[in-house]
């Protein structure tokens, strides 16, 4: 089995910051892909969660973007909608774009005090995630099936990266969940993946 390695590529520079793309991959894995398209200070804590989860699992890859700027708002500079993320703009994502992963998980940040479980993945999977998170995180956890946080569009990268029509799991998290309780979130997802329930 090939060994995973971590590579980075600077996508954009400003006078006071930069956006960097990261890929942790063995060039053949198609089991689990963990993503954080808005990491760094764009949606703080999300990239760290994605990297942590991928590192804990035996057959997982991780794709993330990390934006840091000392003057400008990273969110304003580098927060495209998930349906606008394309391999044309992210070369390292392009390396895994056609693989068809069995499980795709995407970490996101939310400004209010909730954790929303979305994506086009099966409702039963979303219910299992909600049940597992319920005792692990402090904020309310709920399924979201539509609207701006639903993550169900076929154009959303979490869905087109998944094998066939399976869809992916999109997590919109409060600051508390991703910054103060990141291990609880990652541990819950790790156990679901290892139990083959995700």
């Amino acid at each position: 089995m090939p060994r995973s390695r971590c590579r980075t590529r600077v996508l954009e520079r400003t006078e006071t910051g930069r956006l960097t793309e990261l890929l942790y991959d063995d060039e053949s894995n198609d089991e689990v892909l963990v993503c954080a398209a808005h990491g760094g200070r764009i949606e703080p804590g999300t990239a760290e969660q994605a990297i942590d989860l991928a590192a804990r699992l035996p057959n997982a890859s991780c794709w993330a973007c990390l934006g840091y700027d000392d003057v400008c708002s990273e969110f304003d500079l580098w927060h495209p909608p998930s349906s606008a993320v394309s391999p044309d703009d992210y070369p390292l994502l392009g390396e895994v774009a056609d693989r068809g992963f069995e499980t795709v998980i995407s970490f996101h940040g939310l400004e209010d005090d909730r954790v929303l479980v979305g994506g086009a993945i099966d409702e039963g999977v979303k219910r299992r995630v909600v049940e597992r998170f319920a005792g692990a995180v402090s904020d309310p956890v709920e399924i979201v099936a539509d609207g701006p946080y639903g993550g169900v569009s076929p154009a959303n990268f979490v869905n087109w990266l998944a094998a066939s029509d399976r869809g992916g799991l999109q997590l919109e998290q409060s600051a508390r969940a991703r910054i103060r309780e990141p291990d609880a979130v990652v541990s819950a997802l790790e156990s679901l993946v290892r139990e083959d329930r995700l």
Side-chain angles (χ1 to χ4, degrees), residues 149-162:
Y149 304 116
V152 296
S153 168
N156 186 324
F157 70 87
V158 74
N159 296 320
W160 57 255
L161 284 165

Side-chain angles (χ1 to χ4, degrees), residues 41 67 95 99 104:
R41 287 197 301 250
E95 294 184 19
R99 225 178 270 175
V104 182

Side-chain angles (χ1 to χ4, degrees), residues 10-168:
V10 175
L11 294 173
E12 189 176 329
R13 292 182 192 276
T14 66
E15 290 184 13
T16 53
R18 69 176 174 245
L19 178 68
T20 302
E21 184 182 23
L22 174 148
L23 180 64
Y24 172 76
D25 184 52
D26 68 2
E27 299 182 359
S28 65
N29 168 57
D30 64 0
E31 292 183 31
V32 179
L33 176 63
V34 188
C35 305
H38 308 131
R41 287 197 301 250
I42 305 167
E43 291 177 346
T46 57
E48 291 83 351
Q49 287 177 304
I51 293 164
D52 187 17
L53 180 57
R56 292 184 190 198
L57 297 169
N59 297 306
S61 299
C62 178
W63 174 76
C65 290
L66 299 99
Y68 299 95
D69 194 283
D70 293 333
V71 174
C72 300
S73 161
E74 292 90 355
F75 189 93
D76 292 341
L77 287 171
W78 299 305
H79 189 282
S82 295
S83 59
V85 171
S86 163
D88 295 338
D89 301 318
Y90 301 90
L92 295 181
L93 177 63
E95 294 184 19
V96 298
D98 296 328
R99 225 178 270 175
F101 290 87
E102 184 61 30
T103 301
V104 182
I105 302 167
S106 185
F107 289 97
H108 295 268
L110 190 64
E111 291 198 356
D112 60 28
D113 294 330
R114 296 180 296 162
V115 176
L116 304 178
V117 180
I121 201 163
D122 181 78
E123 285 291 312
V125 173
K126 293 186 213 179
R127 280 194 298 277
R128 287 195 289 275
V129 172
V130 169
E131 289 166 8
R132 197 63 60 99
F133 280 8
V137 299
S138 301
D139 292 322
V141 183
E142 59 192 78
I143 292 174
V144 59
D146 55 20
Y149 304 116
V152 296
S153 168
N156 186 324
F157 70 87
V158 74
N159 296 320
W160 57 255
L161 284 165
S164 59
D165 292 328
R166 184 164 196 266

